[in-house]
Amino acid sequence: MTIRLRAHHLLCMLTFVGEGYTPAFTANYRRIAERLTAGEEIKLVSGPDDICAPLLDEKEPHCFKDSVIERDAAALADVIALLGEELKPGSVVVPDASLLAKLRRNFASGDIRHACLGCEWTGLCSRIATDNFKGVLVG
């Protein structure tokens, strides 16, 4: 199978330690983290993805907000610049050890964190990156 991810979740997966918006969201994300760790392919999508799924039943899911769409665009631009590959919705990415190490190195340096501006999880993610990604569940 393939995991459907929106672009900014390529960054979020780097620091996921099991915290999230709701218990259902976190349980779902943990299952996805296991699949990513096993090397399951990622298919980039535009809009809500497999990680968003538990939030889509909310009255006004934030997954559709302009700020989240802008976050996707910023993340995609950073990842494209880093990898030197043309990525877009429908592109497939393999989350192998080499890719994760490259993404994490550049996340920790701040080079690919433009999408993180204004995110409520920035502090947590910064602490995890500073602590050499200790305890992350994807990898």
Side-chain angles (χ1 to χ4, degrees), residues 59-72:
K59 185 176 179 181
E60 293 183 33
H62 78 269
C63 305
F64 295 102
K65 292 185 176 179
D66 288 342
S67 62
V68 179
I69 294 166
E70 291 166 9
R71 196 175 309 283
D72 285 335

Side-chain angles (χ1 to χ4, degrees), residues 82-133:
L82 173 65
L83 300 180
E85 296 178 29
E86 183 57 39
L87 298 172
K88 60 186 180 209
S91 295
V92 174
V93 177
V94 178
D96 59 21
S98 174
L99 175 66
L100 291 173
K102 187 172 193 172
L103 289 171
R104 285 195 172 110
R105 185 173 50 253
N106 286 276
F107 184 90
S109 71
D111 291 341
I112 60 170
R113 294 204 56 190
H114 296 99
C116 303
L117 297 174
C119 176
E120 67 186 279
W121 299 99
T122 297
L124 174 67
C125 294
S126 294
R127 286 190 301 278
I128 292 165
T130 299
D131 200 18
N132 202 28
F133 300 92

Side-chain angles (χ1 to χ4, degrees), residues 10 13-15 18 20 27 32 41 48 50 56 61 82 89 94 97 107 113 115 118-119 125:
L10 290 173
M13 72 178 186
L14 302 173
T15 59
I32 291 169
E41 291 181 336
D50 293 339
L56 297 179
L82 173 65
V94 178
F107 184 90
R113 294 204 56 190
C119 176
C125 294

Side-chain angles (χ1 to χ4, degrees), residues 5-92:
L5 289 186
R6 62 188 318 154
H8 84 265
H9 284 159
L10 290 173
L11 305 181
C12 298
M13 72 178 186
L14 302 173
T15 59
F16 179 64
V17 293
E19 296 189 33
Y21 298 103
T22 66
F25 176 88
T26 302
N28 178 60
Y29 206 152
R30 282 179 178 274
R31 287 188 296 275
I32 291 169
E34 289 173 5
R35 293 169 57 197
L36 290 167
T37 298
E40 195 165 326
E41 291 181 336
I42 296 167
K43 181 178 181 178
L44 292 177
V45 297
S46 176
D49 61 9
D50 293 339
I51 291 174
C52 298
L55 302 175
L56 297 179
D57 290 336
E58 294 178 351
K59 185 176 179 181
E60 293 183 33
H62 78 269
C63 305
F64 295 102
K65 292 185 176 179
D66 288 342
S67 62
V68 179
I69 294 166
E70 291 166 9
R71 196 175 309 283
D72 285 335
L76 187 59
D78 280 350
V79 172
I80 286 170
L82 173 65
L83 300 180
E85 296 178 29
E86 183 57 39
L87 298 172
K88 60 186 180 209
S91 295
V92 174

